[in-house]
């Protein structure tokens, strides 16, 4: 196979809507089978969009390439087999026997789009910040941020002493 022994980004095709499941399944396989030395990172490239629904502005995450997942890996017979046989994966982009790696420039452009939009989504909110809730049951209430989970895009806030779990897009910093 091409690129034996060298790290590169590869694109895998998945069943539509299975991108996040493929990411989780592949990360579990890497952890349980000790493949961290050949499969380094699995990414579902996302970008942030602002949408207006029912007159309310919301920030939503959308997949840049629905049906595709990026994998930073060294391709050898075993790593190729593991990825190819992960539930939800239909194959690598490239010929059936030789996956074609992305160029450095292609991978960098895709990953920077994804990273930039995640940074925008965070709106630089941190613990102890005051926020206004802009949607949901507690709309128009002010709250104090207790905890920020950037990976899940969630916040724990206190509204008049009551702890509430919210999506990042449900608040704006005051």
């Amino acid at each position: 196979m091409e690129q034996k022994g060298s790290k590169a980004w590869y694109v895998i095709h998945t069943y539509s809507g299975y991108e996040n499941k493929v990411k989780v399944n592949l990360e579990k396989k890497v952890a349980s089978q000790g493949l961290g030395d050949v499969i380094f990172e699995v990414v579902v490239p996302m970008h942030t969009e602002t949408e207006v629904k029912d007159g309310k502005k919301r920030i939503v995450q959308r997949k840049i390439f629905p049906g595709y997942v990026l994998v930073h890996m060294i391709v050898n017979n075993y790593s190729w087999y593991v990825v190819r046989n992960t539930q939800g994966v239909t194959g690598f982009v490239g010929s059936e026997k030789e996956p074609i790696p992305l160029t450095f420039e292609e991978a960098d452009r895709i990953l920077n789009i994804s990273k930039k939009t995640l940074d925008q989504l965070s709106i630089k909110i941190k613990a102890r910040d005051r926020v206004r809730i802009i949607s949901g049951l507690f709309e128009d209430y002010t709250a104090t941020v207790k905890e920020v989970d950037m990976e899940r895009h969630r916040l724990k806030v206190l509204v008049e002493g009551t702890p509430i779990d919210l999506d990042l897009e449900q608040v704006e910093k005051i």
Side-chain angles (χ1 to χ4, degrees), residues 142-174:
T142 57
T144 303
V145 177
K146 296 309 278 177
E147 197 177 303
V148 180
D149 184 347
M150 288 310 300
E151 206 166 286
R152 292 179 46 236
H153 308 287
R154 305 287 294 173
L155 294 172
K156 286 198 182 357
V157 300
L158 281 182
V159 175
E160 298 174 5
T162 304
I164 300 169
D165 189 40
L166 299 169
D167 284 330
L168 267 175
E169 55 267 8
Q170 287 181 273
V171 301
E172 63 184 13
K173 193 172 175 180
I174 300 176

Side-chain angles (χ1 to χ4, degrees), residues 30-50:
V30 168
S32 69
Q33 296 178 26
L35 296 169
D37 58 337
V38 288
I39 299 175
F40 308 101
E41 193 174 357
V42 183
V43 175
V44 178
M46 306 286 277
H47 68 102
T48 304
E49 291 179 359
T50 303

Side-chain angles (χ1 to χ4, degrees), residues 46-98:
M46 306 286 277
H47 68 102
T48 304
E49 291 179 359
T50 303
E51 76 175 16
V52 178
K53 190 174 183 179
D54 298 328
K56 294 179 184 172
K57 201 160 124 176
R58 292 182 23 177
I59 297 171
V60 294
Q61 288 277 97
R62 299 226 193 277
K63 294 174 185 81
I64 297 173
F65 304 112
Y68 295 94
V69 174
L70 272 59
V71 182
H72 195 208
M73 64 186 288
I74 297 171
V75 172
N76 60 34
N77 288 338
Y78 188 64
S79 65
W80 177 86
Y81 178 83
V82 167
V83 171
R84 180 70 185 83
N85 289 288
T86 298
Q87 185 178 0
V89 172
T90 59
F92 279 89
V93 171
S95 70
E96 194 167 313
K97 293 188 178 174
E98 288 192 42

